[in-house]
Structures are given as structure tokens and as C-alpha cells.
């Protein structure tokens, strides 16, 4: 029987479950669904499960028993027997509203992007907010979510020259994806806005506001709202 995944050993402490080679909403949902099913049946040696765009990494601590390759492979196959059949698992993430102040000093690339895409700035914002976006993975920096997939009308490659410092909370797009920078950092995506929310706080539990499988709904706000935003 042909399985919809491949198992690839990554060193002596990681097993990669590969679901495909291209980014798609279907594959992303399958990865987040698989991570939940695997987490529910994880043996003692498993320390972390990390879904991404096309794969799930199973990180484990060798213990001489449950980490044996045949046992890990059996664990994966048993846990994923219900993959795709349990439809509720694919939509189990939270729906999270993220306020964004678009354009101006908050999104210095918005006007240029709109012109390149033959859109008005209002149309670009409307398209970016038109439907909830899936959190495919969290990475690059602590709490930084990669979201998508954006409409084809918003498809632009990354900037030719990355910036060395982006403000905390910057919302940027490229390649039909959105990223939010939780803290000041370098970045090569097009800045369209900024959120006043803290995406990552080590004192909070969980520290990251978003997790793979969540759905994000972007809500436009005015500059005055941004400056006086308080978390409720």
C-alpha cells in the first residue's frame, strides 16, 4: 500500500515525516493534523513534534528502547492511521484576530506593492484581510508565524535587498505568504503594516501567541488605535 508520507532519518535524534515537496493548503493542513495525532500517542522518548509546510519533525531522546527505529516507525504508522479521515483534526486550531495598522510608517512598502500589482492600497488591504490564513509553521525567530496562502493577486517575490532591522510587530508578505516579526529583526519581505500585539513573551504560557494549525484573521486598525492599543 502506498502511504502519503515518507520517513527520513535526520541524524540520531530526529525522524522526518515528509508529506510533499510543494507548499499548499492541503499539505499544510495534513502536517498540522499529523502533528496532533502523533502528539496524542507519543512514546516516552519523543521530546518535540514540529510541523512545517511539507513535513513533521519528530525529535526524540535516545533511551535504548522506545527510540529504536522499528518502534518509532510503528508509532508513526499507528498514529497516522486516521490521517485525513478525522476531518475535525484539520480544523482544530484556534481562530485568532490580529489587528494591523496598514501603510504609512507602519507599512512602508504598501504603496509600491499596490502599484506593482495594479491594485489600489485599499484593494491590497482588502485582499490581505479577505479570508483567515493558516499558520503553517512557527520559526525563523521565536514566535514568528508563517501564514497563507494569499490570493494569486498578491503574489510577489521577496525584496531583492533585505532590511537589516524591522520594527517589532511588522507584518510582511512575499510568495503568497505572510510573516509577522515578533521582535526587531532583519527581514527580506515587503512590509505592509504592523500589529501592536506581542507575538512572543517568554513570561507567558504558552510564550508564542500563535501555533501551527491556528487560523489568523487580520483586522485593519487606524494609527490612533495602534498607538493606544491595550490588550484585553
Amino acid at each position: 500500500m502506498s502511504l502519503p508520507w515518507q520517513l527520513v532519518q535526520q541524524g540520531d535524534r530526529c525522524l522526518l515525516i515528509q508529506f510533499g515537496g510543494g507548499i499548499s493548503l492541503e499539505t499544510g493542513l495534513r502536517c498540522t493534523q499529523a502533528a496532533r495525532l502523533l502528539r496524542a500517542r507519543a512514546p516516552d522518548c519523543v521530546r518535540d513534534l514540529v510541523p512545517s509546510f511539507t513535513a513533521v519533525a519528530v525529535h526524540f531522546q535516545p533511551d535504548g528502547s522506545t527510540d529504536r527505529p522499528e518502534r518509532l516507525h510503528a508509532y508513526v504508522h499507528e498514529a497516522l492511521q486516521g490521517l485525513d479521515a478525522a476531518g475535525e483534526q484539520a480544523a482544530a486550531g484556534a481562530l485568532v484576530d490580529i489587528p494591523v495598522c496598514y501603510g504609512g510608517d507602519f507599512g512602508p512598502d504598501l504603496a509600491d506593492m499596490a502599484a506593482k500589482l495594479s491594485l489600489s492600497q485599499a484593494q491590497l488591504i482588502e485582499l490581505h484581510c479577505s479570508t483567515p490564513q493558516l499558520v503553517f509553521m512557527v520559526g525563523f525567530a521565536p514566535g514568528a508565524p508563517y501564514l497563507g496562502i494569499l490570493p494569486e493577486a498578491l503574489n510577489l517575490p521577496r525584496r531583492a535587498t533585505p532590511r537589516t532591522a524591522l520594527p517589532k510587530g511588522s507584518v510582511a508578505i512575499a510568495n503568497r505568504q505572510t510573516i509577522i516579526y515578533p521582535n526587531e529583526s532583519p527581514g527580506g519581505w515587503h512590509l505592509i503594516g504592523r500589529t501592536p500585539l506581542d507575538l512572543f513573551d517568554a513570561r507567558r504560557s504558552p510564550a508564542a501567541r500563535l501555533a501551527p494549525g491556528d487560523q489568523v484573521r487580520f483586522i485593519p486598525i487606524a494609527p490612533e488605535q495602534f498607538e493606544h492599543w491595550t490588550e484585553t
Side-chain angles (χ1 to χ4, degrees):
M1 179 179 66
S2 178
L3 295 171
W5 65 79
Q6 291 182 323
L7 298 180
V8 183
Q9 194 73 31
Q10 302 285 298
D12 65 347
R13 299 193 179 196
C14 181
L15 180 66
L16 192 69
I17 309 169
Q18 186 72 49
F19 289 96
I23 298 174
S24 71
L25 191 59
E26 178 184 3
T27 301
L29 286 169
R30 182 172 287 177
C31 288
T32 57
Q33 177 189 3
R36 291 191 184 98
L37 293 171
L38 289 160
R39 190 168 288 112
R41 303 179 63 121
D44 292 340
C45 67
V46 172
R47 293 293 179 262
D48 201 6
L49 289 153
V50 183
S52 65
F53 287 104
T54 61
V56 178
V58 181
H59 296 276
F60 59 91
Q61 178 68 38
D63 63 5
S65 177
T66 59
D67 71 302
R68 292 167 58 187
E70 62 271 20
R71 291 197 175 186
L72 283 172
H73 286 214
Y75 147 64
V76 170
H77 293 310
E78 290 171 7
L80 299 187
Q81 283 181 353
L83 187 65
D84 295 331
E88 70 279 1
Q89 292 290 334
L95 177 62
V96 183
D97 287 343
I98 300 291
V100 177
C101 187
Y102 288 92
D105 292 338
F106 297 96
D109 296 330
L110 182 67
D112 183 55
M113 285 191 63
K116 288 180 178 178
L117 295 168
S118 300
L119 298 168
S120 68
Q121 294 183 50
Q123 287 173 323
L124 194 156
I125 295 169
E126 183 178 2
L127 282 170
H128 189 252
C129 299
S130 59
T131 58
Q133 297 177 38
L134 174 70
V135 179
F136 282 89
M137 59 178 285
V138 175
F140 169 69
Y146 287 80
L147 307 103
I149 296 176
L150 295 174
E152 180 62 38
L154 297 183
N155 192 8
L156 274 180
R158 299 182 184 190
R159 288 171 51 88
T161 304
R163 292 180 172 94
T164 57
L166 303 176
K168 173 184 176 179
S170 291
V171 177
I173 64 176
N175 300 323
R176 298 183 66 191
Q177 300 167 49
T178 300
I179 189 172
I180 308 174
Y181 296 92
N183 291 292
E184 182 177 308
S185 68
W189 296 33
H190 306 277
L191 299 185
I192 61 172
R194 201 184 311 163
T195 179
L197 297 184
D198 283 325
L199 270 289
F200 183 84
D201 186 343
R203 299 165 299 180
R204 189 172 59 201
S205 182
R209 184 178 294 271
L210 298 172
D214 287 348
Q215 301 272 342
V216 168
R217 184 166 52 193
F218 288 104
I219 309 295
I221 60 172
E224 296 77 15
Q225 292 174 283
F226 183 98
E227 298 296 346
H228 299 93
W229 190 270
T230 57
E231 301 229 14
T232 56

